[in-house]
Amino acid sequence: MDEVEVVVAHSERATLRVGEVFLKIDADQTRTDIEVEAMRLAPAPTPEVLWRRPPVLALAALPGTALGRLGEPSTASSAAWAAAGAAVRVLHDAPLPRWPGRSLEENASNLDSECTWLLANDVLPSDLVTHNRQVAEAALRPWTPVFMHGDLQIAHVFVDGDEITGVLDWSEAGQGDAMYDLAILTLGHPEHLSDVIVGYGADVDVDVIRAWWSLRSLTAIRWLVEHGFDPSSPGCEIDVLRSQL
């Protein structure tokens, strides 16, 4: 009998693996609605939806292995990273989903509140917060919306050799900034940004990608701490902020 593996679990959602089936349990069914619809629309290989019985969504496992994980060296080839960039470009060129993503104003407000919290609670040195907030400002500009994955961590991109076999976790998908997806894909792995750009092609603003690295890291730390994750682990969010100095 297959054992139950807890992939991730916190107060908002949990993902369990039983053999070749993933069971996603989400307290917010709106996120699951978005995930199922985004996978239907996306021009990318996605997990097969086996069944859905709220609050549980059952998905088939993808072949291959994750492109990598934050805080760990990626063993994937440069060609695999370039293939990931090419897959993202196809997604961004696809027709927009009907629902919006987070707005420019929401991103600016979130950055403001999270930096205030980091400083008020002495979580990080003030110079580290201040510098990265200045870097992050470059991301807060108007953009032409694309079909954005919204949480394109490398652990969500699966490869077999140099080929992309699938992309996971579409619950944050929507209309958004193309540079955000590229930033999340390369967060903590700047050495592979050039590979991703080769696959993605033109219209890449590296300064904005770097700005999103700072913005994402600054705004994620409180959530990570409150949900039992450690942003100070080697190679993770706080190290990303330090690397921006």
Side-chain angles (χ1 to χ4, degrees):
M1 182 176 179
D2 292 315
E3 294 184 351
V4 176
E5 175 191 354
V6 179
V7 179
V8 63
H10 49 76
S11 60
E12 294 179 1
R13 66 186 89 170
T15 300
L16 310 176
R17 180 171 186 168
V18 185
E20 294 303 301
V21 177
F22 284 87
L23 302 175
K24 301 189 70 174
I25 306 164
D26 200 317
D28 183 352
Q29 286 303 288
T30 300
R31 284 194 294 253
T32 308
D33 292 341
I34 289 173
E35 177 159 19
V36 171
E37 181 67 2
M39 288 192 295
R40 185 184 72 82
L41 296 173
T46 60
E48 178 189 358
V49 176
L50 300 176
W51 50 264
R52 182 182 179 188
R53 296 172 194 148
V56 183
L57 174 67
L59 301 172
L62 288 171
T65 58
L67 189 61
R69 296 191 181 278
L70 184 62
E72 301 176 9
S74 171
T75 59
S77 66
S78 293
W81 280 88
V88 177
R89 185 54 182 255
V90 172
L91 175 66
H92 290 172
D93 287 342
L96 293 174
R98 66 180 184 278
W99 61 93
R102 181 174 286 177
S103 69
L104 173 60
E105 292 75 20
E106 289 172 314
N107 283 315
S109 176
N110 193 35
L111 177 63
D112 182 64
S113 62
E114 293 306 309
C115 287
T116 298
W117 181 85
L118 290 169
L119 293 173
N121 291 276
D122 294 322
V123 177
L124 296 174
S126 60
D127 60 339
L128 188 61
V129 174
T130 300
H131 176 80
N132 275 276
R133 179 167 185 170
Q134 291 171 348
V135 173
E137 293 289 341
L140 300 176
R141 85 281 177 234
W143 58 73
T144 300
V146 300
F147 190 155
M148 184 180 72
H149 179 279
D151 191 20
L152 200 62
Q153 303 175 46
I154 54 173
H156 295 163
V157 179
F158 274 60
V159 297
D160 184 2
D162 298 338
E163 303 293 326
I164 303 298
T165 59
V167 182
L168 299 172
D169 287 349
W170 293 80
S171 62
E172 304 297 325
Q175 300 179 25
D177 181 11
M179 296 304 101
Y180 181 80
D181 270 350
L182 296 180
I184 302 309
L185 180 63
T186 55
L187 184 74
H189 290 272
E191 69 279 8
H192 290 293
L193 177 57
S194 59
D195 298 324
V196 169
I197 292 173
V198 167
Y200 189 82
D203 306 321
V204 174
D205 189 325
V206 173
D207 288 338
V208 173
I209 290 174
R210 294 184 181 279
W212 276 119
W213 288 344
S214 288
L215 197 153
R216 166 72 177 223
S217 298
L218 288 168
T219 57
I221 289 173
R222 174 165 33 173
W223 187 94
L224 291 167
V225 169
E226 291 178 347
H227 289 81
F229 300 98
D230 185 5
S232 66
S233 296
C236 293
E237 284 77 7
I238 293 176
D239 274 355
V240 171
L241 295 174
R242 291 190 180 114
S243 73
Q244 296 280 70
L245 292 175

